[in-house]
């Protein structure tokens, strides 16, 4: 649990850093706003699945204009993930969760693998955002785990 908790702390930190970088852009690229919103919604979808709740109300790929609303979503996600993980026992990491994809396909995945998906999915997209920032002549932000670990 200690490793997953630490990695989730990195996720919250990295989400905040990437949002800060997007806020510093004078005119943030609409595709980047859509992508960062996707990360926030995907975190929420996976948490809903872990909590055995439906996810049909979530749309993973919508245009976004309001970075403040996205930041609020990330903050709420962090709060809910912290509470979920605080109540999780090590033995529960291997419990299987039944859920349906957003297109309705049924799946069965362990809690551990779902949490790892959340962690890796966000890191993948933060890398895409940083690359786009660099292409747009904006400064990318350091979101590597080791940077977080050195704090």
């Amino acid at each position: 649990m200690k490793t997953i908790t630490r990695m989730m702390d990195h996720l919250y930190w990295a989400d905040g850093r990437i949002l800060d970088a997007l806020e510093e852009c004078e005119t943030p690229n609409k595709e980047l706003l859509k992508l960062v919103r996707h990360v926030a919604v995907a975190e929420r979808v996976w948490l809903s699945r872990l909590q055995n709740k439906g996810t049909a109300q979530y749309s993973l790929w919508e245009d976004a204009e309001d970075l403040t609303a996205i930041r609020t979503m990330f903050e709420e996600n962090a709060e809910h993930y912290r509470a979920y993980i605080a109540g999780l026992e090590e033995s529960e990491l291997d419990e299987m969760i039944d859920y349906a994809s957003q297109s309705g396909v049924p799946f069965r995945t362990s809690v551990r693998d779902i949490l790892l998906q959340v962690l890796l999915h966000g890191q993948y997209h933060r890398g895409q955002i940083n690359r786009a920032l660099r292409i747009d002549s904006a400064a990318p932000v350091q979101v590597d785990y080791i940077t977080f670990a050195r704090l």
Side-chain angles (χ1 to χ4, degrees):
M1 286 304 304
K2 185 177 179 183
T3 299
I4 286 180
T5 299
R6 183 79 169 143
M7 290 176 72
M8 291 299 292
D9 286 341
H10 167 258
L11 175 128
Y12 314 138
W13 171 84
D15 284 346
R17 301 257 309 165
I18 212 75
L19 286 167
D20 292 345
L22 289 171
E23 282 178 351
E24 289 177 18
C25 296
E26 290 180 23
T27 54
N29 177 318
K30 288 189 186 293
E31 286 303 309
L32 294 185
L33 292 178
K34 184 176 184 176
L35 187 54
V36 75
R37 181 197 172 276
H38 166 77
V39 174
V41 173
E43 286 180 10
R44 188 158 288 181
V45 164
W46 284 112
L47 182 62
S48 294
R49 290 172 179 160
L50 287 167
Q51 296 172 328
N52 201 27
K53 296 178 182 175
T55 62
Q57 71 273 27
Y58 299 115
S59 176
L60 288 168
W61 292 105
E62 283 185 8
D63 289 336
E65 303 261 341
D66 187 358
L67 203 51
T68 303
I70 296 169
R71 183 179 293 276
T72 299
M73 191 181 313
F74 275 120
E75 290 168 354
E76 290 170 353
N77 289 348
E79 178 184 336
H80 294 293
Y81 270 104
R82 281 187 177 107
Y84 175 80
I85 290 171
L88 197 61
E89 298 293 327
E90 181 83 28
S91 62
E92 293 173 299
L93 290 172
D94 294 316
E95 286 184 8
M96 301 302 285
I97 302 291
D98 293 306
Y99 63 95
S101 69
Q102 293 305 97
S103 58
V105 177
F107 289 98
R108 184 172 172 85
T109 307
S110 72
V111 170
R112 181 187 315 273
D113 286 340
I114 289 172
L115 290 173
L116 289 172
Q117 166 62 21
V118 171
L119 292 160
L120 296 173
H121 177 258
Q123 193 65 358
Y124 170 75
H125 287 307
R126 284 187 295 274
Q128 289 179 312
I129 292 167
N130 262 333
R131 182 174 188 276
L133 287 172
R134 185 175 284 119
I135 289 169
D136 288 346
S137 299
V141 63
Q142 184 55 257
V143 292
D144 284 346
Y145 177 82
I146 196 65
T147 303
F148 168 77
R150 290 174 180 154
L151 296 176

